[in-house]
Amino acid sequence: NTLYAAISGIYTSATSNTQGHLAFATRNAAADANLTERMRITSGGNVGIGFTSPTALTHIVNTAAADSFRVDDVANDTSPFIINLDGNVGIANSAPSYTLDVIGTTRFSTNITQAAGQLLLADGTASAPAYSFSADTNSGLYRFASDGIALITGGASSNLLSLNSSGNVGVGTTSPLQALHVVGQCVAKGTRIRRRRKGKNGRWIEE
């Protein structure tokens, strides 16, 4: 008779026979001559999947070109929890490209410590900046163009401070034309602001 699957007990001590493993084996193809062990429960209670010497309660070794671990919800939609063959973790993401790749809103209730590398965020928008606050989601920092960032409050374009790729600073505008470009009125208490213009003779005049 051909065996297609088996559960067997394996002793681990040749002298006392007091310890044993439980091995689960299956046959994958008609041409297979022998069963292949797929999972093992050791005498210490560790479970190994694809590995016969697990060192943790659950120890998975993946040698196939497939995800190592996946959990889907009851709806079986596109929001699984995945550990792929590269070791990347995806939450609501079936194809994680980074060590932790999350689609959707993420909440941290304690500090985030970053020893090295970068924290990569989406660009965001004026009404929903990429870096914002749980109690004030329309205020924060966003990227409005290539090499251009802006701080905004209330999601209002008139309430922003921008820095563009030329190093120009804009107040109330994301298109500053000079080193400092202000849209709206300025109040400079105790400070004199001089205006520089060219006269008819081509010389600069300060006023």
Side-chain angles (χ1 to χ4, degrees):
N1 295 330
T2 302
L3 286 176
Y4 295 96
I7 302 174
S8 57
I10 305 172
Y11 70 85
T12 60
S13 175
T15 56
S16 63
N17 292 331
T18 58
Q19 294 177 324
H21 301 321
L22 192 61
F24 297 77
T26 62
R27 183 181 178 190
N28 191 39
D32 289 347
N34 301 302
L35 297 176
T36 300
E37 184 176 332
R38 310 295 181 183
M39 184 176 74
R40 176 177 292 199
I41 302 176
T42 68
S43 59
N46 292 343
V47 177
I49 300 175
F51 190 48
T52 59
S53 301
T55 57
L57 287 176
T58 302
H59 192 156
I60 301 172
V61 174
N62 181 17
T63 58
D67 294 331
S68 299
F69 187 79
R70 177 171 180 141
V71 177
D72 286 282
D73 61 21
V74 69
N76 194 28
D77 56 20
T78 57
S79 58
F81 173 85
I82 278 181
I83 302 175
N84 69 10
L85 72 163
D86 296 319
N88 294 336
V89 176
I91 300 177
N93 187 349
S94 60
S97 301
Y98 302 93
T99 304
L100 178 60
D101 203 337
V102 181
I103 294 177
T105 302
T106 304
R107 179 178 178 181
F108 298 92
S109 57
T110 57
N111 295 336
I112 300 175
T113 301
Q114 183 176 332
Q118 295 177 298
L119 178 63
L120 302 178
L121 302 175
D123 290 350
T125 62
S127 59
Y131 186 92
S132 61
F133 308 91
S134 58
D136 195 0
T137 58
N138 61 358
S139 296
L141 178 70
Y142 75 101
R143 175 181 179 269
F144 63 85
S146 178
D147 297 324
I149 58 174
L151 287 168
I152 192 166
T153 59
S157 59
S158 57
N159 299 336
L160 63 81
L161 176 68
S162 68
L163 179 67
N164 69 9
S165 58
S166 299
N168 294 341
V169 175
V171 179
T173 178
T174 55
S175 303
L177 302 177
Q178 299 295 329
L180 177 61
H181 186 159
V182 179
V183 174
Q185 295 182 346
C186 294
V187 176
K189 187 176 181 181
T191 302
R192 182 179 179 184
I193 299 177
R194 292 186 175 184
R195 183 168 69 98
R196 194 181 187 209
R197 64 180 179 84
K198 272 191 176 182
K200 294 181 179 180
N201 57 1
R203 294 182 178 179
W204 288 98
I205 301 173
E206 288 189 356
E207 299 176 334

